[in-house]
Every structure is written in structure tokens, then in C-alpha cells.
Amino acid sequence: MKIRNLASLTAIALGLASGGSVLAQTQEGSLYRVTTQVEMVGLPFKMPDQTVEVCGPKDHSSEKMVPHDENCSITNFEVEGKTARYTLVCTGEADLTAKGEFEQLDSGGYRGKMNMVGTSQGQSMEMNMRFQGERIGACEYTPPAAPGGAG
């Protein structure tokens, strides 16, 4: 896999882990310190872990906990106990399908994993991501707008 493809796929993965969506009405949320580990299948070296602070919804059982942009849609979102599972389908710069899950922790944080497969610039790729969010405070959360720009 070419390094420029790797860089764009890593940016996509980290964007999914840290959020970044069309803005809507602000509400009280939780501030998390999120550490993400990304493994590109077939890559001979380990990607460095990334840590960012993100503002997320207070409701861990919500689809809003799955950061995505207007090029992605969430399907098959199911909650069982403290664990949510989902499928994320993205089109555009890269065509990716991800199967993921996250677990609400008693500390108020969360942890999860996601497996992404797809193509970018005509090349096949597979990526595994693990993430853990530690709640570090409150914040003003802006949920993504509804599809079609309503919100």
C-alpha cells in the first residue's frame, strides 16, 4: 500500500474515532480523552497511538456515540446491556464498511473496536481500530445534523 494512501486512510479512521460532523443545536455533553490504536493489515510497522479530547453525548446508548460525517451512514445499531454494535458504511474519498462495537464503562467512559474494509484510490485495505475514552469533564456537545441537512 502506498504511503499517501495510508495517510489518507489513517486520517479517515482518526476522524471516525474523534468526531467532526455537521453542526446542530448545542446541549450538555461529556468531555472525553480518547486514545485510538490503528492497525493497517499487511503494514510491516505499527502505527503510533493517537490521543485527542472530544466532546460527546451524555447518552452512551445512542447512535451519536458513533462519530461520522455526511459521507457515512449507520445501520444495524443495536444495544444489549452496556454494549452497542453497529455497521458504518462510508462512500466518497474511500469506500469503507466498518463493523464496530463500544462498551459503556462504570467510570463513565467507554471502550470499543472497529474493523474497516474497503478501497481507497483503487487499492483494497483493511484496518482494525481500538479506542478507549476516559471521561474528564463536561462540555457543550453539538450533535450531528439529521441526514439531508435538517437539524
Short mmCIF file of all heavy atoms in Angstrom, two decimals, residues 42-95:
data_model
loop_
_atom_site.label_atom_id
_atom_site.label_comp_id
_atom_site.label_asym_id
_atom_site.label_seq_id
_atom_site.Cartn_x
_atom_site.Cartn_y
_atom_site.Cartn_z
N GLY A 42 -1.41 -5.90 6.96
CA GLY A 42 -0.40 -6.01 5.91
C GLY A 42 0.70 -4.97 5.99
O GLY A 42 1.68 -5.03 5.26
N LEU A 43 0.58 -4.02 6.89
CA LEU A 43 1.60 -3.00 7.06
C LEU A 43 2.70 -3.55 7.96
O LEU A 43 2.40 -4.07 9.03
CB LEU A 43 0.99 -1.74 7.67
CG LEU A 43 1.80 -0.46 7.60
CD1 LEU A 43 1.99 -0.03 6.15
CD2 LEU A 43 1.08 0.63 8.36
N PRO A 44 3.97 -3.43 7.58
CA PRO A 44 5.04 -4.05 8.36
C PRO A 44 5.44 -3.29 9.62
O PRO A 44 6.33 -3.73 10.33
CB PRO A 44 6.21 -4.11 7.37
CG PRO A 44 5.95 -2.97 6.45
CD PRO A 44 4.46 -2.85 6.33
N PHE A 45 4.81 -2.15 9.92
CA PHE A 45 5.15 -1.43 11.14
C PHE A 45 3.87 -1.00 11.85
O PHE A 45 2.80 -0.93 11.26
CB PHE A 45 6.05 -0.22 10.85
CG PHE A 45 5.45 0.77 9.89
CD1 PHE A 45 4.64 1.81 10.33
CD2 PHE A 45 5.69 0.67 8.52
CE1 PHE A 45 4.09 2.72 9.45
CE2 PHE A 45 5.15 1.58 7.64
CZ PHE A 45 4.34 2.60 8.11
N LYS A 46 4.01 -0.71 13.15
CA LYS A 46 2.86 -0.32 13.99
C LYS A 46 2.63 1.18 13.86
O LYS A 46 3.56 1.97 13.91
CB LYS A 46 3.14 -0.69 15.45
CG LYS A 46 1.99 -0.38 16.39
CD LYS A 46 2.38 -0.70 17.83
CE LYS A 46 1.29 -0.47 18.83
NZ LYS A 46 0.68 0.82 18.84
N MET A 47 1.39 1.56 13.71
CA MET A 47 1.01 2.96 13.69
C MET A 47 1.08 3.50 15.12
O MET A 47 0.73 2.78 16.06
CB MET A 47 -0.42 3.12 13.18
CG MET A 47 -0.68 2.50 11.82
SD MET A 47 -0.05 3.48 10.49
CE MET A 47 -1.12 4.88 10.61
N PRO A 48 1.51 4.74 15.31
CA PRO A 48 1.55 5.29 16.67
C PRO A 48 0.13 5.53 17.19
O PRO A 48 -0.78 5.88 16.43
CB PRO A 48 2.30 6.61 16.51
CG PRO A 48 2.22 6.95 15.06
CD PRO A 48 2.04 5.66 14.31
N ASP A 49 -0.07 5.33 18.50
CA ASP A 49 -1.35 5.63 19.12
C ASP A 49 -1.61 7.13 19.03
O ASP A 49 -0.67 7.92 19.04
CB ASP A 49 -1.35 5.21 20.59
CG ASP A 49 -1.24 3.70 20.77
OD1 ASP A 49 -1.27 2.97 19.77
OD2 ASP A 49 -1.11 3.27 21.93
N GLN A 50 -2.87 7.50 18.95
CA GLN A 50 -3.28 8.90 18.90
C GLN A 50 -4.20 9.18 20.08
O GLN A 50 -5.10 8.39 20.36
CB GLN A 50 -4.03 9.20 17.60
CG GLN A 50 -3.21 8.98 16.35
CD GLN A 50 -2.14 10.04 16.17
OE1 GLN A 50 -2.38 11.22 16.39
NE2 GLN A 50 -0.95 9.62 15.77
N THR A 51 -3.99 10.31 20.75
CA THR A 51 -4.87 10.72 21.85
C THR A 51 -5.40 12.11 21.55
O THR A 51 -4.63 13.01 21.22
CB THR A 51 -4.12 10.70 23.19
OG1 THR A 51 -3.64 9.38 23.43
CG2 THR A 51 -5.04 11.10 24.34
N VAL A 52 -6.72 12.26 21.63
CA VAL A 52 -7.38 13.54 21.40
C VAL A 52 -8.45 13.73 22.46
O VAL A 52 -8.89 12.77 23.10
CB VAL A 52 -8.03 13.62 19.99
CG1 VAL A 52 -6.98 13.55 18.90
CG2 VAL A 52 -9.06 12.52 19.80
N GLU A 53 -8.88 14.97 22.65
CA GLU A 53 -10.01 15.25 23.52
C GLU A 53 -11.20 15.57 22.64
O GLU A 53 -11.09 16.36 21.70
CB GLU A 53 -9.70 16.41 24.47
CG GLU A 53 -8.67 16.03 25.51
CD GLU A 53 -8.38 17.12 26.51
OE1 GLU A 53 -9.03 18.19 26.49
OE2 GLU A 53 -7.48 16.90 27.34
N VAL A 54 -12.33 14.91 22.92
CA VAL A 54 -13.55 15.11 22.13
C VAL A 54 -14.74 15.28 23.06
O VAL A 54 -14.77 14.76 24.17
CB VAL A 54 -13.82 13.95 21.16
CG1 VAL A 54 -12.73 13.84 20.12
CG2 VAL A 54 -13.98 12.64 21.89
N CYS A 55 -15.71 16.03 22.56
CA CYS A 55 -16.96 16.23 23.28
C CYS A 55 -17.99 15.29 22.67
O CYS A 55 -18.18 15.27 21.46
CB CYS A 55 -17.40 17.68 23.13
SG CYS A 55 -18.87 18.09 24.09
N GLY A 56 -18.61 14.47 23.50
CA GLY A 56 -19.60 13.50 23.02
C GLY A 56 -20.89 13.62 23.80
O GLY A 56 -20.99 14.33 24.78
N PRO A 57 -21.92 12.88 23.35
CA PRO A 57 -23.21 12.92 24.04
C PRO A 57 -23.13 12.26 25.40
O PRO A 57 -22.29 11.39 25.64
CB PRO A 57 -24.12 12.15 23.10
CG PRO A 57 -23.21 11.19 22.42
CD PRO A 57 -21.92 11.93 22.25
N LYS A 58 -24.00 12.66 26.31
CA LYS A 58 -24.07 12.01 27.63
C LYS A 58 -24.67 10.61 27.51
O LYS A 58 -24.38 9.74 28.31
CB LYS A 58 -24.92 12.86 28.58
CG LYS A 58 -24.21 14.08 29.09
CD LYS A 58 -25.02 14.77 30.13
CE LYS A 58 -24.11 15.12 31.27
NZ LYS A 58 -24.80 15.66 32.42
N ASP A 59 -25.52 10.39 26.53
CA ASP A 59 -26.22 9.12 26.35
C ASP A 59 -25.33 8.14 25.58
O ASP A 59 -25.22 8.21 24.37
CB ASP A 59 -27.53 9.36 25.59
CG ASP A 59 -28.30 8.08 25.35
OD1 ASP A 59 -27.91 7.02 25.88
OD2 ASP A 59 -29.31 8.14 24.62
N HIS A 60 -24.70 7.21 26.30
CA HIS A 60 -23.81 6.23 25.67
C HIS A 60 -24.55 5.21 24.82
O HIS A 60 -23.93 4.51 24.04
CB HIS A 60 -23.03 5.47 26.74
CG HIS A 60 -21.92 6.27 27.34
ND1 HIS A 60 -20.98 5.72 28.15
CD2 HIS A 60 -21.60 7.57 27.25
CE1 HIS A 60 -20.13 6.65 28.54
NE2 HIS A 60 -20.50 7.78 28.01
N SER A 61 -25.85 5.09 24.99
CA SER A 61 -26.58 4.07 24.23
C SER A 61 -27.12 4.65 22.92
O SER A 61 -27.93 4.03 22.26
CB SER A 61 -27.73 3.51 25.06
OG SER A 61 -28.66 4.54 25.36
N SER A 62 -26.63 5.80 22.52
CA SER A 62 -27.12 6.50 21.34
C SER A 62 -26.23 6.26 20.13
O SER A 62 -25.01 6.10 20.26
CB SER A 62 -27.18 7.99 21.65
OG SER A 62 -27.35 8.75 20.49
N GLU A 63 -26.83 6.30 18.94
CA GLU A 63 -26.04 6.24 17.70
C GLU A 63 -25.09 7.43 17.59
O GLU A 63 -24.12 7.38 16.85
CB GLU A 63 -26.97 6.24 16.49
CG GLU A 63 -27.72 4.95 16.30
CD GLU A 63 -28.58 4.95 15.05
OE1 GLU A 63 -28.20 5.59 14.05
OE2 GLU A 63 -29.62 4.30 15.06
N LYS A 64 -25.35 8.47 18.35
CA LYS A 64 -24.50 9.66 18.31
C LYS A 64 -23.09 9.36 18.84
O LYS A 64 -22.17 10.15 18.63
CB LYS A 64 -25.13 10.79 19.13
CG LYS A 64 -26.43 11.29 18.55
CD LYS A 64 -27.08 12.28 19.48
CE LYS A 64 -28.48 12.63 18.99
NZ LYS A 64 -29.21 13.41 19.99
N MET A 65 -22.92 8.24 19.53
CA MET A 65 -21.59 7.85 20.01
C MET A 65 -20.71 7.34 18.87
O MET A 65 -19.52 7.13 19.05
CB MET A 65 -21.69 6.78 21.09
CG MET A 65 -22.17 7.28 22.44
SD MET A 65 -21.05 8.44 23.23
CE MET A 65 -19.67 7.37 23.63
N VAL A 66 -21.29 7.14 17.69
CA VAL A 66 -20.52 6.68 16.53
C VAL A 66 -20.25 7.90 15.65
O VAL A 66 -21.10 8.31 14.87
CB VAL A 66 -21.29 5.62 15.72
CG1 VAL A 66 -20.43 5.10 14.57
CG2 VAL A 66 -21.73 4.46 16.62
N PRO A 67 -19.08 8.53 15.80
CA PRO A 67 -18.78 9.71 15.00
C PRO A 67 -18.74 9.37 13.51
O PRO A 67 -18.21 8.34 13.11
CB PRO A 67 -17.39 10.15 15.47
CG PRO A 67 -17.21 9.47 16.78
CD PRO A 67 -18.00 8.20 16.71
N HIS A 68 -19.35 10.23 12.72
CA HIS A 68 -19.34 10.04 11.28
C HIS A 68 -19.68 11.36 10.61
O HIS A 68 -20.16 12.28 11.26
CB HIS A 68 -20.32 8.94 10.87
CG HIS A 68 -21.74 9.22 11.23
ND1 HIS A 68 -22.21 9.14 12.52
CD2 HIS A 68 -22.79 9.60 10.47
CE1 HIS A 68 -23.50 9.46 12.53
NE2 HIS A 68 -23.87 9.75 11.31
N ASP A 69 -19.43 11.44 9.33
CA ASP A 69 -19.76 12.66 8.60
C ASP A 69 -20.84 12.38 7.57
O ASP A 69 -21.42 11.29 7.55
CB ASP A 69 -18.50 13.27 7.98
CG ASP A 69 -17.85 12.38 6.93
OD1 ASP A 69 -18.52 11.48 6.38
OD2 ASP A 69 -16.66 12.58 6.66
N GLU A 70 -21.08 13.36 6.71
CA GLU A 70 -22.17 13.23 5.74
C GLU A 70 -21.93 12.15 4.70
O GLU A 70 -22.86 11.75 4.00
CB GLU A 70 -22.43 14.58 5.05
CG GLU A 70 -21.29 15.09 4.20
CD GLU A 70 -20.22 15.86 4.98
OE1 GLU A 70 -20.35 16.04 6.20
OE2 GLU A 70 -19.23 16.27 4.35
N ASN A 71 -20.72 11.62 4.58
CA ASN A 71 -20.42 10.54 3.64
C ASN A 71 -20.64 9.16 4.23
O ASN A 71 -20.38 8.16 3.57
CB ASN A 71 -18.97 10.65 3.14
CG ASN A 71 -18.73 11.92 2.36
OD1 ASN A 71 -19.57 12.34 1.57
ND2 ASN A 71 -17.61 12.55 2.60
N CYS A 72 -21.08 9.08 5.47
CA CYS A 72 -21.24 7.80 6.16
C CYS A 72 -22.65 7.65 6.72
O CYS A 72 -23.28 8.64 7.09
CB CYS A 72 -20.25 7.68 7.32
SG CYS A 72 -18.52 7.80 6.84
N SER A 73 -23.11 6.41 6.79
CA SER A 73 -24.40 6.13 7.42
C SER A 73 -24.25 4.95 8.37
O SER A 73 -23.44 4.05 8.15
CB SER A 73 -25.47 5.85 6.37
OG SER A 73 -25.12 4.71 5.60
N ILE A 74 -25.04 4.99 9.44
CA ILE A 74 -25.01 3.95 10.46
C ILE A 74 -26.20 3.03 10.22
O ILE A 74 -27.33 3.49 10.06
CB ILE A 74 -25.11 4.55 11.86
CG1 ILE A 74 -23.95 5.50 12.11
CG2 ILE A 74 -25.14 3.45 12.93
CD1 ILE A 74 -24.12 6.36 13.34
N THR A 75 -25.93 1.72 10.21
CA THR A 75 -27.01 0.74 10.10
C THR A 75 -26.82 -0.32 11.18
O THR A 75 -25.77 -0.41 11.80
CB THR A 75 -27.01 0.05 8.71
OG1 THR A 75 -25.77 -0.65 8.54
CG2 THR A 75 -27.17 1.06 7.59
N ASN A 76 -27.85 -1.10 11.39
CA ASN A 76 -27.78 -2.22 12.33
C ASN A 76 -27.29 -1.80 13.72
O ASN A 76 -26.55 -2.54 14.36
CB ASN A 76 -26.87 -3.34 11.80
CG ASN A 76 -27.31 -3.82 10.44
OD1 ASN A 76 -28.50 -3.91 10.15
ND2 ASN A 76 -26.35 -4.11 9.58
N PHE A 77 -27.71 -0.64 14.21
CA PHE A 77 -27.31 -0.18 15.54
C PHE A 77 -28.16 -0.91 16.57
O PHE A 77 -29.38 -0.83 16.55
CB PHE A 77 -27.49 1.33 15.69
CG PHE A 77 -26.93 1.86 16.97
CD1 PHE A 77 -25.59 2.23 17.06
CD2 PHE A 77 -27.72 2.00 18.10
CE1 PHE A 77 -25.06 2.72 18.24
CE2 PHE A 77 -27.20 2.49 19.28
CZ PHE A 77 -25.87 2.84 19.36
N GLU A 78 -27.51 -1.67 17.47
CA GLU A 78 -28.20 -2.45 18.49
C GLU A 78 -27.50 -2.28 19.83
O GLU A 78 -26.28 -2.24 19.89
CB GLU A 78 -28.18 -3.94 18.13
CG GLU A 78 -28.84 -4.28 16.82
CD GLU A 78 -28.66 -5.75 16.46
OE1 GLU A 78 -27.88 -6.47 17.13
OE2 GLU A 78 -29.31 -6.19 15.50
N VAL A 79 -28.29 -2.18 20.88
CA VAL A 79 -27.74 -2.08 22.23
C VAL A 79 -28.20 -3.29 23.03
O VAL A 79 -29.37 -3.64 23.04
CB VAL A 79 -28.23 -0.79 22.93
CG1 VAL A 79 -27.71 -0.73 24.36
CG2 VAL A 79 -27.81 0.44 22.15
N GLU A 80 -27.23 -3.93 23.68
CA GLU A 80 -27.51 -5.06 24.56
C GLU A 80 -26.74 -4.83 25.84
O GLU A 80 -25.51 -4.88 25.85
CB GLU A 80 -27.08 -6.37 23.90
CG GLU A 80 -27.41 -7.60 24.72
CD GLU A 80 -26.99 -8.88 24.01
OE1 GLU A 80 -27.12 -8.97 22.78
OE2 GLU A 80 -26.52 -9.79 24.72
N GLY A 81 -27.46 -4.51 26.91
CA GLY A 81 -26.79 -4.19 28.17
C GLY A 81 -25.98 -2.92 28.02
O GLY A 81 -26.49 -1.89 27.61
N LYS A 82 -24.68 -3.00 28.31
CA LYS A 82 -23.79 -1.83 28.21
C LYS A 82 -23.02 -1.80 26.90
O LYS A 82 -22.11 -0.98 26.74
CB LYS A 82 -22.81 -1.83 29.38
CG LYS A 82 -23.46 -1.60 30.72
CD LYS A 82 -22.42 -1.50 31.81
CE LYS A 82 -23.06 -1.17 33.13
NZ LYS A 82 -22.05 -0.90 34.16
N THR A 83 -23.34 -2.69 25.96
CA THR A 83 -22.60 -2.79 24.71
C THR A 83 -23.49 -2.44 23.52
O THR A 83 -24.62 -2.93 23.43
CB THR A 83 -22.03 -4.21 24.52
OG1 THR A 83 -21.18 -4.50 25.64
CG2 THR A 83 -21.22 -4.32 23.24
N ALA A 84 -22.98 -1.60 22.64
CA ALA A 84 -23.67 -1.24 21.39
C ALA A 84 -22.85 -1.78 20.23
O ALA A 84 -21.61 -1.73 20.24
CB ALA A 84 -23.82 0.26 21.29
N ARG A 85 -23.54 -2.29 19.22
CA ARG A 85 -22.90 -2.79 18.00
C ARG A 85 -23.51 -2.08 16.81
O ARG A 85 -24.70 -1.74 16.84
CB ARG A 85 -23.09 -4.30 17.87
CG ARG A 85 -22.32 -5.08 18.91
CD ARG A 85 -22.55 -6.59 18.81
NE ARG A 85 -21.85 -7.29 19.84
CZ ARG A 85 -22.27 -7.40 21.11
NH1 ARG A 85 -23.41 -6.86 21.48
NH2 ARG A 85 -21.56 -8.05 22.00
N TYR A 86 -22.72 -1.89 15.76
CA TYR A 86 -23.19 -1.13 14.61
C TYR A 86 -22.40 -1.48 13.36
O TYR A 86 -21.33 -2.09 13.42
CB TYR A 86 -23.05 0.37 14.88
CG TYR A 86 -21.63 0.78 15.21
CD1 TYR A 86 -20.74 1.16 14.21
CD2 TYR A 86 -21.17 0.75 16.52
CE1 TYR A 86 -19.44 1.51 14.52
CE2 TYR A 86 -19.87 1.09 16.83
CZ TYR A 86 -19.01 1.48 15.82
OH TYR A 86 -17.72 1.81 16.12
N THR A 87 -22.95 -1.07 12.22
CA THR A 87 -22.26 -1.11 10.95
C THR A 87 -22.22 0.32 10.43
O THR A 87 -23.22 1.05 10.53
CB THR A 87 -23.00 -2.01 9.93
OG1 THR A 87 -23.08 -3.33 10.48
CG2 THR A 87 -22.28 -2.06 8.60
N LEU A 88 -21.09 0.72 9.90
CA LEU A 88 -20.90 2.05 9.36
C LEU A 88 -20.47 1.90 7.91
O LEU A 88 -19.52 1.17 7.62
CB LEU A 88 -19.81 2.77 10.17
CG LEU A 88 -19.50 4.21 9.84
CD1 LEU A 88 -20.68 5.10 10.20
CD2 LEU A 88 -18.26 4.66 10.61
N VAL A 89 -21.19 2.55 7.00
CA VAL A 89 -20.89 2.47 5.57
C VAL A 89 -20.54 3.88 5.09
O VAL A 89 -21.34 4.80 5.26
CB VAL A 89 -22.07 1.90 4.78
CG1 VAL A 89 -21.75 1.86 3.29
CG2 VAL A 89 -22.44 0.51 5.28
N CYS A 90 -19.33 4.03 4.51
CA CYS A 90 -18.87 5.33 4.03
C CYS A 90 -18.56 5.25 2.54
O CYS A 90 -18.03 4.25 2.06
CB CYS A 90 -17.60 5.75 4.77
SG CYS A 90 -17.81 5.91 6.55
N THR A 91 -18.89 6.33 1.84
CA THR A 91 -18.58 6.44 0.42
C THR A 91 -17.91 7.80 0.20
O THR A 91 -18.00 8.68 1.04
CB THR A 91 -19.85 6.34 -0.45
OG1 THR A 91 -20.75 7.37 -0.05
CG2 THR A 91 -20.52 4.99 -0.30
N GLY A 92 -17.26 7.94 -0.92
CA GLY A 92 -16.59 9.20 -1.21
C GLY A 92 -15.12 8.96 -1.46
O GLY A 92 -14.75 8.14 -2.30
N GLU A 93 -14.25 9.68 -0.72
CA GLU A 93 -12.81 9.55 -0.89
C GLU A 93 -12.37 8.10 -0.75
O GLU A 93 -11.47 7.63 -1.42
CB GLU A 93 -12.10 10.41 0.15
CG GLU A 93 -10.60 10.42 -0.01
CD GLU A 93 -9.91 11.32 1.00
OE1 GLU A 93 -10.49 12.36 1.37
OE2 GLU A 93 -8.79 10.99 1.42
N ALA A 94 -13.02 7.38 0.14
CA ALA A 94 -12.78 5.94 0.32
C ALA A 94 -14.13 5.27 0.50
O ALA A 94 -15.03 5.84 1.11
CB ALA A 94 -11.89 5.70 1.53
N ASP A 95 -14.27 4.08 -0.07
CA ASP A 95 -15.48 3.28 0.14
C ASP A 95 -15.15 2.26 1.21
O ASP A 95 -14.35 1.35 1.00
CB ASP A 95 -15.91 2.58 -1.15
CG ASP A 95 -16.43 3.55 -2.19
OD1 ASP A 95 -17.10 4.53 -1.79
OD2 ASP A 95 -16.18 3.34 -3.39
#
